[in-house]
Amino acid sequence: MSQAWVLGQRALREGWRTPEALLPTLFIPLFFLVVNVGQAAKIFPGNSTAFLHGQGYGAFQLPSSLLLAASFGTAALFLVEDIEGGYFDKLRAAPVSRASLVLGRLIAEGAKALLISAAIVVLGLIFGISIASGVLGFVLLIGLTALWSCVFVGFMQLIALKTRSAAATNSGGLIFFPLLFLTPNFVPRDLLTRPMEIAASFNPVTYIMEALRSLILQDLEWSKIWPGFAVVVVAGALMLALNVRTINNYD
C-alpha cells in the first residue's frame, strides 16, 4: 500500500499542475442540474410529489450531477501520457506491485472526486437542498460518489492500457452517458415504462443512483443504500483484477 500511496502522491501533483481540468468536472454537472430542474420542476412540485419527500426536484436530480462529475476522471489520460513517454515501461521494470500501479492513480482520482462532490453538495445546500440522512448521510453520499469515480476511472484505464491512445481513451468516457440515461434519471424506477424499467434494473449505475438519492431524500434507508455500495465493491474488485491482468500481459 505504501507503493500505491507514493504513486498516488505523484498523480496528485499531476492534477495540481493542471487545475483547468477540474473546471469541466464542476461546470458540466451543475449545468445539467440547472437545465433538468428548470425543465421539470413545475411538473413535480415538492409539496405534492410523493417521491420527493417534501423537497424540491433539485434534490432528486442532484445524484445525477454527482455521478456525472465522478465520471470525468483524467487518470486514464495521464496514464496514456506515461505510456507514450516511456515512463510506464520504467514503472513496470521497477520492483513495484502491479496492483500499486493501478491503485496509485485511483487514490488521486478518489481524492479529487471527494473534493468535487463535496463542492457540488455544498452548493446544493446553499440553494435549499437538504440531506435528510444527516451528517452520516453526507459522509456516505460523498464516499459513495468517490468510490464510483475510482471504479469508472479504473475501467477507463483498461481502455488506455489496451489502446495506448488518448483519442480512444477520451472517446471511451462517452460510455457513461448511455449508462446514466438508462437509469431512473428523471423519475423513480416504478414510474418508468416496462422496457425502460427492465433496462434500468440491469444497469448497475441504477443502484448507485438510488442509494445516493435515498441519502438525500430519506433518513438512513439501508435497504436502498447497501446495494449501491455492493455494486462499487464488486465492480471495483473486477476492475482491479482486469487491470492487473492487463498489465501482467502488457508487451
Side-chain angles (χ1 to χ4, degrees), residues 134-155:
V135 175
L136 177 57
F138 177 85
V139 173
L140 292 173
L141 185 70
I142 302 304
L144 181 56
T145 304
L147 287 172
W148 164 251
S149 178
C150 292
V151 170
F152 185 80
V153 170
F155 282 111

Side-chain angles (χ1 to χ4, degrees), residues 144 147-148 151-152 155 201-209 211 224-239:
L144 181 56
L147 287 172
W148 164 251
V151 170
F152 185 80
F155 282 111
S201 297
F202 280 102
N203 182 359
V205 181
T206 292
Y207 302 97
I208 302 171
M209 177 176 289
K224 295 181 180 179
I225 296 169
W226 76 260
F229 281 93
V231 166
V232 295
V233 169
V234 173
L238 177 63
M239 171 272 295

Side-chain angles (χ1 to χ4, degrees), residues 43-95:
I43 301 174
F44 304 110
N47 56 2
S48 60
T49 305
F51 64 77
L52 295 180
H53 299 276
Q55 292 208 56
Y57 191 64
F60 191 84
Q61 279 294 312
L62 184 59
S64 298
S65 294
L66 289 172
L67 289 176
L68 186 57
S71 304
F72 270 90
T74 54
L77 293 175
F78 284 131
L79 176 58
V80 172
E81 290 182 4
D82 281 350
I83 291 172
E84 292 176 342
Y87 184 74
F88 184 69
D89 288 328
K90 294 179 181 178
L91 286 175
R92 289 195 307 117

Side-chain angles (χ1 to χ4, degrees), residues 189-198:
R189 209 183 334 168
D190 58 1
L191 294 181
L192 298 173
T193 62
R194 184 59 180 163
M196 185 67 179
E197 182 182 2
I198 293 172

Side-chain angles (χ1 to χ4, degrees), residues 73-144:
T74 54
L77 293 175
F78 284 131
L79 176 58
V80 172
E81 290 182 4
D82 281 350
I83 291 172
E84 292 176 342
Y87 184 74
F88 184 69
D89 288 328
K90 294 179 181 178
L91 286 175
R92 289 195 307 117
V96 179
S97 74
R98 298 313 190 225
S100 294
L101 294 179
V102 180
L103 293 174
R105 292 197 173 278
L106 298 187
I107 288 172
E109 203 61 39
K112 187 182 79 173
L114 287 171
L115 178 64
I116 293 294
S117 57
I120 291 174
V121 173
V122 168
L123 285 172
L125 294 175
I126 292 172
F127 287 97
I129 296 174
S130 61
I131 308 301
S133 53
V135 175
L136 177 57
F138 177 85
V139 173
L140 292 173
L141 185 70
I142 302 304
L144 181 56

Side-chain angles (χ1 to χ4, degrees), residues 208-230:
I208 302 171
M209 177 176 289
E210 289 179 340
L212 295 174
R213 191 167 282 156
S214 171
L215 289 166
I216 295 170
L217 296 175
Q218 299 172 270
D219 201 354
L220 297 168
E221 291 283 340
W222 294 107
S223 62
K224 295 181 180 179
I225 296 169
W226 76 260
F229 281 93

